[in-house]
Amino acid sequence: MIIDEIILQDFGLYEGTQRVLLTPPSPDRPIILVGGLNGGGKTTFLDALQLGLFGPHARCSNRGSLSYPEFLNRCIHQASGKTGASIEIAFRHTVEGKEEQYRVKRSWQRNGSGCRERFEVFKNDEVEPSLADNWAAQVEEFFPSNIAHLFLFDGEQVEAYA
């Protein structure tokens, strides 16, 4: 699985639309490092990748014991008037020599009782409702959630791993 792009809309400290291209520079150099000052949004960025892919099963840094709708509510940028947020992730996956393009979009809006989420999956630019309905099982084939933390981690955690 190669993650090519993530688009954040009013997610956490990221106001407005923020697009980050993540396509590795070459097959020989497949690692992408994200750097920045403390408080610059690196952990929020990693949380967005986890949340976009795994939804309610994501291991996000600041979820704690919050219910999923309450966590989504807290992920909406705090600027006045913001009522929703979204995460969109584009990636490629190859099976038996055939590369497929995927795009997942997770968006949510505040409502009276919390947040209402919408989740869509596109495969080769076509909407795939059956993939969205079975995404929890499908994403495990692409990127197992129990090892995701080995690939999406905050450098400050390296000391804990050592």
Side-chain angles (χ1 to χ4, degrees):
M1 180 175 147
I2 303 292
I3 299 174
D4 289 310
E5 176 183 50
I6 184 168
I7 302 169
L8 306 176
Q9 176 72 40
D10 294 324
F11 179 77
L13 58 80
Y14 295 100
E15 184 175 14
T17 301
Q18 308 298 321
R19 174 173 279 150
V20 180
L21 298 177
L22 297 168
T23 304
S26 76
D28 298 336
R29 298 171 54 196
I31 296 174
I32 302 295
L33 299 175
V34 177
L37 298 173
N38 286 344
K42 300 177 302 293
T43 301
T44 301
F45 180 80
L46 291 172
D47 285 347
L49 283 167
Q50 286 260 356
L51 183 58
L53 291 171
F54 302 113
H57 307 291
R59 294 183 186 176
C60 294
S61 64
N62 58 354
R63 180 171 176 188
S65 61
L66 293 174
S67 70
Y68 186 61
E70 181 58 29
F71 177 67
L72 291 178
N73 188 34
R74 290 194 183 183
C75 287
I76 298 171
H77 185 73
Q78 297 301 311
S80 83
K82 302 293 181 183
T83 61
S86 68
I87 300 166
E88 191 169 339
I89 301 172
F91 64 93
R92 295 173 274 148
H93 184 68
T94 303
V95 175
E96 297 178 10
K98 184 177 180 188
E99 184 177 85
E100 306 279 5
Q101 305 283 329
Y102 293 86
R103 184 171 292 273
V104 296
K105 183 172 184 182
R106 196 173 293 279
S107 59
W108 57 96
Q109 288 289 124
R110 284 189 180 118
N111 62 24
S113 61
C115 278
R116 181 167 180 246
E117 182 182 54
R118 179 178 177 169
F119 180 67
E120 299 173 288
V121 177
F122 298 83
K123 181 178 177 183
N124 299 323
D125 295 321
E126 298 286 330
V127 67
E128 292 282 345
S130 63
L131 275 176
D133 291 343
N134 299 299
W135 186 250
Q138 182 64 58
V139 73
E140 290 295 321
E141 290 182 28
F142 297 145
F143 193 29
S145 61
N146 62 345
I147 64 167
H149 67 282
L150 299 174
F151 297 91
L152 304 173
F153 65 90
D154 193 323
E156 293 171 354
Q157 295 172 336
V158 170
E159 183 178 20
Y161 288 130

